Amino acid sequence: DPCRNFHCKKGKVCHVDKQGKPRCICQDPAACPSTKDYERVCGTDNKTYDGTCQLFGTKCQLEGTKMGRQLHLDYMGSCKYIPHCTDYEVDQFPLRMRDWLKNILMQYYERDLDTSGFLTEKQRSKVKKIYQNDKRLMAGDHAVELLLYDFEKNYHMYVYPVHWQFHQLDQHPVDRLLTHSELAPLRASLVPMEHCITRFFQECDGDRDKLIALKEWCHCFGIKE
């Protein structure tokens, strides 16, 4: 099968032409496998799609048009009303996000105590120090004042989680720059719960080049040079 190891980008599928050569053609959205309700996604056109296959197939068919360029995955789940993010809320956002990233690493570390696989040895040694120090501020909804106080008092414990998340996202290619599509896995899963995340990432892009550099990312989270 010429298509077996032939890779096509999202929204395209491999097709063998008359000469027997594999090539990528647009996925027919109607031919996408059926999905469950929880697999629905919302596009930036504010339309609900039955899964990412249907969304990216539609985007492919619109290739070369303004609509096609503007259509992206907005967030996971059916489209719903997302409230406007206020200046006050966007200022508070990095406090919660830093705490959340730190707690994710704590959970990965705890799971690795029983079965390894979530973190590399190098990551585990970095997280171990944070984990041993972190028993005083348990996971949960903390007051903004407490999060701010803890960040200022235990600043060193927040640096690695912020760097770690950047490098988790920086994959295609690994170039110390985050594109819209590299941010999508994090952004799309959080929008329904954290309605300020879109504005936060827009404002992180200080030079407006549609890329978030490591320096810009750290600056947004209050990490010093």
Side-chain angles (χ1 to χ4, degrees):
D1 178 7
C3 279
R4 179 176 286 179
N5 295 314
F6 195 77
H7 179 72
C8 294
K9 69 174 190 176
K10 280 180 183 173
K12 296 197 172 189
V13 288
C14 182
H15 172 77
V16 181
D17 63 18
K18 288 176 183 174
Q19 285 76 41
K21 289 184 178 173
R23 64 189 185 93
C24 295
I25 61 167
C26 285
Q27 164 76 53
D28 176 6
C32 287
S34 59
T35 55
K36 309 273 194 309
D37 283 354
Y38 62 80
E39 292 174 308
R40 286 185 179 152
V41 296
C42 185
T44 44
D45 56 355
N46 206 33
K47 282 185 186 170
T48 298
Y49 293 85
D50 290 334
T52 52
C53 171
Q54 199 180 85
L55 169 69
F56 288 112
T58 304
K59 178 177 172 65
C60 181
Q61 291 188 334
L62 293 168
E63 214 167 69
T65 67
K66 187 180 178 185
M67 258 178 94
R69 283 193 301 276
Q70 291 177 340
L71 180 58
H72 298 285
L73 169 64
D74 200 7
Y75 53 88
M76 310 307 282
S78 300
C79 294
K80 63 179 190 177
Y81 171 69
I82 303 290
H84 173 71
C85 174
T86 65
D87 292 348
Y88 174 76
E89 286 174 321
V90 83
D91 285 346
Q92 307 308 316
F93 181 83
L95 298 177
R96 292 194 308 277
M97 188 77 175
R98 278 191 308 247
D99 191 51
W100 183 68
L101 293 176
K102 181 166 62 67
N103 287 329
I104 285 177
L105 278 175
M106 298 301 99
Q107 287 171 12
Y108 280 173
Y109 184 82
E110 282 187 331
R111 287 186 209 173
D112 274 7
L113 294 174
D114 300 322
T115 54
S116 62
F118 287 100
L119 301 172
T120 65
E121 275 306 308
K122 190 176 175 185
Q123 288 171 334
R124 280 176 58 74
S125 66
K126 293 234 182 205
V127 178
K128 186 178 182 180
K129 294 171 193 166
I130 304 172
Y131 183 80
Q132 288 168 342
N133 283 324
D134 197 56
K135 287 299 160 192
R136 58 192 211 295
L137 190 65
M138 300 308 288
D141 284 333
H142 298 298
V144 165
E145 294 76 21
L146 176 61
L147 291 176
L148 189 57
Y149 171 77
D150 196 61
F151 176 63
E152 288 168 355
K153 188 168 182 289
N154 300 288
Y155 168 80
H156 63 285
M157 291 177 57
Y158 291 90
V159 177
Y160 183 68
V162 170
H163 281 173
W164 169 80
Q165 181 64 80
F166 183 92
H167 293 295
Q168 289 292 107
L169 296 169
D170 182 24
Q171 298 292 335
H172 310 289
V174 178
D175 56 2
R176 295 167 78 89
L177 295 167
L178 296 183
T179 62
H180 184 282
S181 58
E182 285 176 318
L183 279 169
L186 177 67
R187 207 191 132 275
S189 57
L190 287 181
V191 169
M193 296 174 284
E194 287 285 1
H195 65 282
C196 281
I197 195 164
T198 302
R199 181 176 163 187
F200 175 73
F201 285 147
Q202 284 169 349
E203 293 184 7
C204 271
D205 181 17
D207 57 9
R208 297 285 181 265
D209 65 350
K210 293 193 163 53
L211 298 167
I212 297 181
L214 179 59
K215 200 171 180 179
E216 290 174 319
W217 174 271
C218 290
H219 177 72
C220 276
F221 284 101
I223 305 300
K224 299 163 199 158
E225 301 229 356

